[in-house]
Amino acid sequence: MLPSLAVLRSFEAAAKHQSYTAAAVELRISQAAISRQVRELEGIIGTQLFRKEGRGVVLTTAGKALAEALHAGLERLRDVIQTAQGAGSSGQTLTIAALPTFSSHWLARRLPSFRARNSNVHLIVKSRSLPFDLLGEGVDVAIHFGAPDWIGASHAPLCPELLVAVASPSLVEEAGIDKAPAGTNFPLLHLVSRRNTWPAYFQQLGLDPTPAYRGDFFDQFSTMIGAAKANLGAAIIPSYLIEAELAQGTLVPIARPDPGDGMYYAVTPSSVSNPLADSFCEWIAREARHSFKSRHMIA
Protein backbone atom coordinates (compact mmCIF):
# COMPACT_ATOMS: atom_id res chain seq x y z
CA MET A 1 0.00 0.00 0.00
CA LEU A 2 1.31 3.43 -0.96
CA PRO A 3 0.60 6.48 1.21
CA SER A 4 -1.25 9.42 -0.28
CA LEU A 5 0.57 12.54 -1.38
CA ALA A 6 -1.14 14.44 1.47
CA VAL A 7 0.34 12.02 4.00
CA LEU A 8 3.80 12.36 2.49
CA ARG A 9 3.61 16.15 2.42
CA SER A 10 2.53 16.22 6.08
CA PHE A 11 5.46 14.03 7.08
CA GLU A 12 7.90 16.08 5.00
CA ALA A 13 6.75 19.33 6.66
CA ALA A 14 6.83 17.82 10.15
CA ALA A 15 10.31 16.42 9.52
CA LYS A 16 11.57 19.75 8.20
CA HIS A 17 10.33 21.72 11.20
CA GLN A 18 10.61 18.96 13.82
CA SER A 19 7.22 20.24 14.87
CA TYR A 20 3.63 19.25 14.13
CA THR A 21 2.50 22.79 14.94
CA ALA A 22 4.87 24.45 12.47
CA ALA A 23 4.00 21.85 9.82
CA ALA A 24 0.30 22.60 10.31
CA VAL A 25 0.94 26.33 9.85
CA GLU A 26 2.93 25.71 6.66
CA LEU A 27 0.30 23.43 5.12
CA ARG A 28 -2.64 25.39 6.51
CA ILE A 29 -4.28 22.39 8.14
CA SER A 30 -4.82 21.47 11.78
CA GLN A 31 -2.14 20.04 14.03
CA ALA A 32 -4.45 17.08 14.65
CA ALA A 33 -4.49 16.38 10.90
CA ILE A 34 -0.68 16.38 10.79
CA SER A 35 -0.53 14.00 13.76
CA ARG A 36 -3.13 11.70 12.21
CA GLN A 37 -1.35 11.54 8.85
CA VAL A 38 2.02 10.86 10.47
CA ARG A 39 0.46 7.97 12.42
CA GLU A 40 -1.04 6.68 9.16
CA LEU A 41 2.40 6.71 7.53
CA GLU A 42 3.94 4.94 10.54
CA GLY A 43 1.25 2.28 10.23
CA ILE A 44 2.01 1.74 6.54
CA ILE A 45 5.78 1.57 7.11
CA GLY A 46 5.52 -0.36 10.35
CA THR A 47 7.92 1.69 12.43
CA GLN A 48 8.00 4.84 14.53
CA LEU A 49 9.15 7.95 12.66
CA PHE A 50 9.03 10.53 15.49
CA ARG A 51 9.53 10.34 19.23
CA LYS A 52 8.33 12.88 21.74
CA GLU A 53 10.94 15.12 23.32
CA GLY A 54 9.71 17.73 25.77
CA ARG A 55 6.78 19.47 24.14
CA GLY A 56 7.99 18.71 20.65
CA VAL A 57 9.01 15.77 18.47
CA VAL A 58 12.28 14.61 16.92
CA LEU A 59 12.90 12.18 14.11
CA THR A 60 13.92 8.63 14.88
CA THR A 61 16.75 7.04 12.90
CA ALA A 62 14.18 5.52 10.54
CA GLY A 63 12.42 8.89 10.31
CA LYS A 64 15.64 10.67 9.32
CA ALA A 65 16.37 8.16 6.56
CA LEU A 66 12.84 8.42 5.19
CA ALA A 67 12.83 12.23 5.39
CA GLU A 68 16.04 12.51 3.35
CA ALA A 69 14.84 10.11 0.67
CA LEU A 70 11.36 11.60 0.56
CA HIS A 71 12.65 15.17 0.22
CA ALA A 72 14.76 14.17 -2.80
CA GLY A 73 11.81 12.32 -4.32
CA LEU A 74 9.35 15.19 -3.86
CA GLU A 75 11.87 17.68 -5.26
CA ARG A 76 12.23 15.46 -8.31
CA LEU A 77 8.42 15.30 -8.63
CA ARG A 78 8.20 19.10 -8.40
CA ASP A 79 10.87 19.38 -11.11
CA VAL A 80 8.94 17.00 -13.35
CA ILE A 81 5.71 18.97 -12.93
CA GLN A 82 7.43 22.32 -13.51
CA THR A 83 9.19 20.89 -16.56
CA ALA A 84 5.87 19.74 -18.01
CA GLN A 85 4.38 23.17 -17.34
CA GLY A 86 7.31 24.88 -19.03
CA ALA A 87 7.23 22.62 -22.06
CA GLY A 88 3.61 23.58 -22.69
CA SER A 89 1.87 22.10 -25.70
CA SER A 90 5.15 21.30 -27.50
CA GLY A 91 6.10 18.77 -24.81
CA GLN A 92 9.80 19.17 -25.66
CA THR A 93 12.19 19.82 -22.81
CA LEU A 94 15.98 19.58 -22.80
CA THR A 95 17.78 19.46 -19.46
CA ILE A 96 21.46 20.40 -19.60
CA ALA A 97 24.03 20.19 -16.82
CA ALA A 98 27.32 22.03 -17.15
CA LEU A 99 30.25 23.33 -15.15
CA PRO A 100 29.17 26.58 -13.43
CA THR A 101 31.63 28.98 -15.08
CA PHE A 102 31.29 27.20 -18.42
CA SER A 103 27.55 27.84 -18.25
CA SER A 104 27.81 31.53 -17.40
CA HIS A 105 30.82 32.52 -19.53
CA TRP A 106 30.49 30.34 -22.64
CA LEU A 107 27.26 28.40 -22.95
CA ALA A 108 24.72 31.09 -22.00
CA ARG A 109 25.72 33.50 -24.74
CA ARG A 110 25.43 30.76 -27.38
CA LEU A 111 22.08 29.30 -26.36
CA PRO A 112 20.11 31.84 -28.46
CA SER A 113 21.71 30.19 -31.50
CA PHE A 114 20.37 26.81 -30.44
CA ARG A 115 16.98 28.30 -29.58
CA ALA A 116 16.77 29.86 -33.07
CA ARG A 117 16.92 26.33 -34.50
CA ASN A 118 14.63 24.85 -31.86
CA SER A 119 12.08 27.52 -31.01
CA ASN A 120 9.63 25.15 -29.30
CA VAL A 121 12.13 23.58 -26.90
CA HIS A 122 11.99 24.43 -23.19
CA LEU A 123 15.55 24.54 -21.76
CA ILE A 124 16.55 23.71 -18.19
CA VAL A 125 20.21 24.48 -17.41
CA LYS A 126 21.74 23.19 -14.18
CA SER A 127 25.21 23.79 -12.73
CA ARG A 128 27.19 20.69 -11.81
CA SER A 129 30.90 20.37 -11.02
CA LEU A 130 31.18 16.58 -10.65
CA PRO A 131 29.75 13.54 -12.46
CA PHE A 132 26.37 12.30 -11.21
CA ASP A 133 23.59 9.90 -12.17
CA LEU A 134 22.23 11.34 -15.41
CA LEU A 135 19.07 9.24 -15.42
CA GLY A 136 18.47 9.69 -11.70
CA GLU A 137 18.52 13.48 -12.02
CA GLY A 138 16.67 13.58 -15.33
CA VAL A 139 19.54 15.24 -17.24
CA ASP A 140 19.62 14.80 -21.03
CA VAL A 141 23.08 16.25 -21.72
CA ALA A 142 25.99 17.11 -19.44
CA ILE A 143 29.22 18.93 -20.26
CA HIS A 144 32.22 17.10 -18.80
CA PHE A 145 35.90 18.02 -18.65
CA GLY A 146 38.69 15.50 -18.23
CA ALA A 147 38.70 11.95 -19.57
CA PRO A 148 35.81 9.96 -21.10
CA ASP A 149 35.18 8.22 -17.79
CA TRP A 150 31.56 9.06 -16.95
CA ILE A 151 29.95 5.74 -16.01
CA GLY A 152 26.85 4.80 -18.00
CA ALA A 153 27.31 7.64 -20.50
CA SER A 154 28.21 8.16 -24.15
CA HIS A 155 30.93 10.77 -24.75
CA ALA A 156 30.97 13.15 -27.73
CA PRO A 157 34.32 15.05 -27.90
CA LEU A 158 33.95 18.83 -28.12
CA CYS A 159 37.42 20.39 -27.97
CA PRO A 160 40.63 20.35 -25.93
CA GLU A 161 41.29 23.00 -23.33
CA LEU A 162 43.59 25.89 -24.19
CA LEU A 163 45.03 27.72 -21.20
CA VAL A 164 46.19 31.32 -21.23
CA ALA A 165 47.96 33.33 -18.53
CA VAL A 166 46.33 36.75 -18.17
CA ALA A 167 46.38 39.86 -16.02
CA SER A 168 44.71 43.26 -16.06
CA PRO A 169 46.33 45.91 -18.27
CA SER A 170 47.20 48.09 -15.26
CA LEU A 171 48.85 45.18 -13.47
CA VAL A 172 50.87 44.37 -16.57
CA GLU A 173 52.04 47.99 -16.73
CA GLU A 174 52.87 48.04 -13.03
CA ALA A 175 54.72 44.71 -12.99
CA GLY A 176 56.73 45.41 -16.12
CA ILE A 177 56.24 42.33 -18.24
CA ASP A 178 59.59 42.80 -19.98
CA LYS A 179 61.59 42.67 -16.75
CA ALA A 180 61.18 38.90 -16.14
CA PRO A 181 59.79 35.78 -17.85
CA ALA A 182 56.11 36.43 -18.43
CA GLY A 183 54.08 35.91 -15.29
CA THR A 184 56.90 35.19 -12.84
CA ASN A 185 56.96 38.70 -11.35
CA PHE A 186 53.18 38.93 -10.79
CA PRO A 187 51.14 38.11 -7.71
CA LEU A 188 49.58 34.76 -8.59
CA LEU A 189 45.99 33.56 -8.43
CA HIS A 190 45.22 29.83 -8.17
CA LEU A 191 42.22 27.55 -8.55
CA VAL A 192 41.93 25.19 -5.58
CA SER A 193 41.28 22.18 -7.81
CA ARG A 194 44.28 23.01 -10.04
CA ARG A 195 46.99 23.92 -7.57
CA ASN A 196 49.79 22.74 -9.85
CA THR A 197 49.03 24.95 -12.86
CA TRP A 198 51.41 27.82 -12.05
CA PRO A 199 54.19 25.51 -10.72
CA ALA A 200 54.00 23.50 -13.95
CA TYR A 201 54.35 26.73 -15.92
CA PHE A 202 57.42 27.76 -13.90
CA GLN A 203 58.95 24.34 -14.59
CA GLN A 204 58.35 24.83 -18.32
CA LEU A 205 60.50 27.95 -18.02
CA GLY A 206 63.23 25.99 -16.24
CA LEU A 207 62.58 27.83 -12.96
CA ASP A 208 62.21 26.68 -9.38
CA PRO A 209 58.45 26.01 -8.99
CA THR A 210 58.42 26.66 -5.22
CA PRO A 211 57.50 30.39 -5.47
CA ALA A 212 54.64 29.49 -7.81
CA TYR A 213 52.68 27.87 -4.97
CA ARG A 214 52.26 31.25 -3.27
CA GLY A 215 49.31 33.54 -3.83
CA ASP A 216 45.56 33.60 -3.40
CA PHE A 217 43.26 30.62 -3.96
CA PHE A 218 39.71 30.43 -5.36
CA ASP A 219 37.24 27.58 -5.69
CA GLN A 220 35.59 28.88 -8.87
CA PHE A 221 37.05 30.24 -12.11
CA SER A 222 34.41 32.99 -12.16
CA THR A 223 35.64 34.47 -8.88
CA MET A 224 39.25 34.21 -9.98
CA ILE A 225 38.44 35.99 -13.24
CA GLY A 226 36.86 38.83 -11.29
CA ALA A 227 39.91 39.05 -9.02
CA ALA A 228 42.27 39.18 -12.01
CA LYS A 229 40.21 41.99 -13.57
CA ALA A 230 40.42 43.84 -10.22
CA ASN A 231 44.26 43.79 -10.33
CA LEU A 232 44.68 41.20 -7.58
CA GLY A 233 47.06 39.07 -9.63
CA ALA A 234 47.72 37.02 -12.75
CA ALA A 235 45.75 33.85 -13.46
CA ILE A 236 45.96 30.89 -15.80
CA ILE A 237 42.46 30.40 -17.19
CA PRO A 238 40.86 28.35 -19.97
CA SER A 239 40.59 30.78 -22.82
CA TYR A 240 36.96 29.99 -23.61
CA LEU A 241 35.97 31.43 -20.21
CA ILE A 242 37.44 34.86 -20.95
CA GLU A 243 36.53 35.44 -24.58
CA ALA A 244 34.68 38.65 -23.69
CA GLU A 245 37.42 39.94 -21.38
CA LEU A 246 40.12 39.35 -24.01
CA ALA A 247 38.00 41.02 -26.69
CA GLN A 248 37.27 44.02 -24.45
CA GLY A 249 40.85 44.29 -23.19
CA THR A 250 39.92 44.02 -19.50
CA LEU A 251 42.33 41.08 -19.36
CA VAL A 252 45.41 40.73 -21.57
CA PRO A 253 47.56 37.66 -22.31
CA ILE A 254 50.99 37.58 -20.65
CA ALA A 255 51.87 34.02 -21.68
CA ARG A 256 50.28 30.92 -23.10
CA PRO A 257 51.24 27.62 -21.44
CA ASP A 258 50.95 24.36 -23.34
CA PRO A 259 47.40 23.04 -23.66
CA GLY A 260 46.32 20.73 -20.86
CA ASP A 261 45.63 17.05 -21.29
CA GLY A 262 41.89 17.25 -20.66
CA MET A 263 39.13 17.29 -23.23
CA TYR A 264 35.59 18.65 -23.08
CA TYR A 265 32.81 16.19 -23.80
CA ALA A 266 29.05 16.28 -24.22
CA VAL A 267 27.80 13.22 -22.35
CA THR A 268 24.40 11.57 -22.63
CA PRO A 269 22.89 8.48 -20.96
CA SER A 270 24.10 5.54 -23.03
CA SER A 271 20.85 3.62 -22.56
CA VAL A 272 18.55 6.36 -23.84
CA SER A 273 17.68 7.38 -27.40
CA ASN A 274 16.99 11.12 -27.45
CA PRO A 275 17.01 12.87 -30.86
CA LEU A 276 16.76 16.31 -29.24
CA ALA A 277 19.83 15.63 -27.07
CA ASP A 278 21.66 14.35 -30.16
CA SER A 279 20.78 17.55 -31.98
CA PHE A 280 22.10 19.62 -29.07
CA CYS A 281 25.35 17.62 -29.03
CA GLU A 282 25.86 18.22 -32.75
CA TRP A 283 25.17 21.94 -32.29
CA ILE A 284 27.49 22.41 -29.32
CA ALA A 285 30.26 20.45 -31.07
CA ARG A 286 30.13 22.92 -33.98
CA GLU A 287 30.16 25.86 -31.57
CA ALA A 288 33.11 24.40 -29.66
CA ARG A 289 35.15 23.78 -32.81
CA HIS A 290 34.56 27.34 -33.98
CA SER A 291 35.43 28.73 -30.56
CA PHE A 292 38.61 26.65 -30.33
CA LYS A 293 39.81 27.84 -33.74
CA SER A 294 39.20 31.44 -32.70
CA ARG A 295 41.19 30.95 -29.51
CA HIS A 296 44.30 30.09 -31.51
CA MET A 297 44.33 33.77 -32.49
CA ILE A 298 45.34 34.74 -28.94
CA ALA A 299 48.82 36.16 -28.60
Side-chain angles (χ1 to χ4, degrees):
M1 175 182 177
L2 290 176
S4 67
L5 183 58
V7 166
L8 294 177
R9 290 185 67 228
S10 290
F11 170 73
E12 181 195 32
K16 178 173 64 176
H17 296 291
Q18 299 277 292
S19 166
Y20 290 175
T21 302
V25 171
E26 177 183 329
L27 299 181
R28 299 182 180 180
I29 60 178
S30 69
Q31 181 179 339
I34 295 289
S35 179
R36 183 175 61 255
Q37 289 174 338
V38 168
R39 288 197 306 272
E40 181 181 335
L41 183 60
E42 289 176 330
I44 293 172
I45 294 175
T47 190
Q48 186 178 3
L49 300 174
F50 291 96
R51 68 173 185 273
K52 290 186 177 181
E53 190 169 285
R55 295 187 176 181
V57 293
V58 296
L59 287 164
T60 63
T61 300
K64 288 180 181 178
L66 178 61
E68 291 175 1
L70 179 61
H71 177 72
L74 289 176
E75 284 299 303
R76 175 74 183 121
L77 180 59
R78 293 181 184 109
D79 285 346
V80 169
I81 293 173
Q82 289 175 355
T83 296
Q85 291 173 331
S89 59
S90 71
Q92 285 192 298
T93 299
L94 184 70
T95 301
I96 307 156
L99 301 164
T101 311
F102 178 93
S103 294
S104 60
H105 284 68
W106 191 90
L107 180 61
R109 71 177 68 177
R110 289 171 169 81
L111 284 177
S113 170
F114 180 76
R115 168 56 56 73
R117 295 170 173 78
N118 301 271
S119 59
N120 294 325
V121 174
H122 173 63
L123 299 176
I124 300 175
V125 182
K126 302 181 177 181
S127 294
R128 292 289 189 276
S129 297
L130 297 173
F132 55 91
D133 182 355
L134 291 166
L135 290 176
E137 295 204 25
V139 170
D140 301 305
V141 184
I143 307 303
H144 173 56
F145 173 75
D149 53 5
W150 199 312
I151 297 174
S154 300
H155 298 71
L158 297 180
C159 66
E161 183 176 70
L162 184 62
L163 299 171
V164 58
V166 295
S168 66
S170 57
L171 191 62
V172 169
E173 183 178 355
E174 178 184 334
I177 194 170
D178 58 339
K179 296 178 182 177
T184 61
N185 57 335
F186 285 74
L188 303 179
L189 309 180
H190 306 263
L191 192 71
V192 171
S193 60
R194 301 191 184 194
R195 294 174 179 269
N196 197 49
T197 305
W198 275 114
Y201 171 62
F202 274 51
Q203 287 180 319
Q204 289 175 16
L205 297 176
L207 302 174
D208 177 11
T210 304
Y213 287 99
R214 300 169 185 159
D216 300 312
F217 289 80
F218 302 84
D219 68 351
Q220 294 288 338
F221 271 125
S222 56
T223 313
M224 189 165 70
I225 292 168
K229 291 168 64 176
N231 308 322
L232 191 63
I236 295 178
I237 301 171
S239 57
Y240 74 87
L241 295 179
I242 49 173
E243 291 175 338
E245 286 80 4
L246 291 171
Q248 296 163 5
T250 54
L251 290 174
V252 296
I254 57 175
R256 183 161 65 184
D258 292 335
D261 296 329
M263 173 76 73
Y264 286 89
Y265 297 90
V267 299
T268 54
S270 54
S271 60
V272 175
S273 176
N274 187 332
L276 182 58
D278 294 341
S279 176
F280 179 84
C281 290
E282 293 172 3
W283 168 81
I284 198 172
R286 289 194 300 271
E287 292 290 328
R289 287 193 297 269
H290 176 74
S291 176
F292 184 73
K293 289 178 181 179
S294 300
R295 283 180 257 144
H296 279 285
M297 305 294 290
I298 299 172

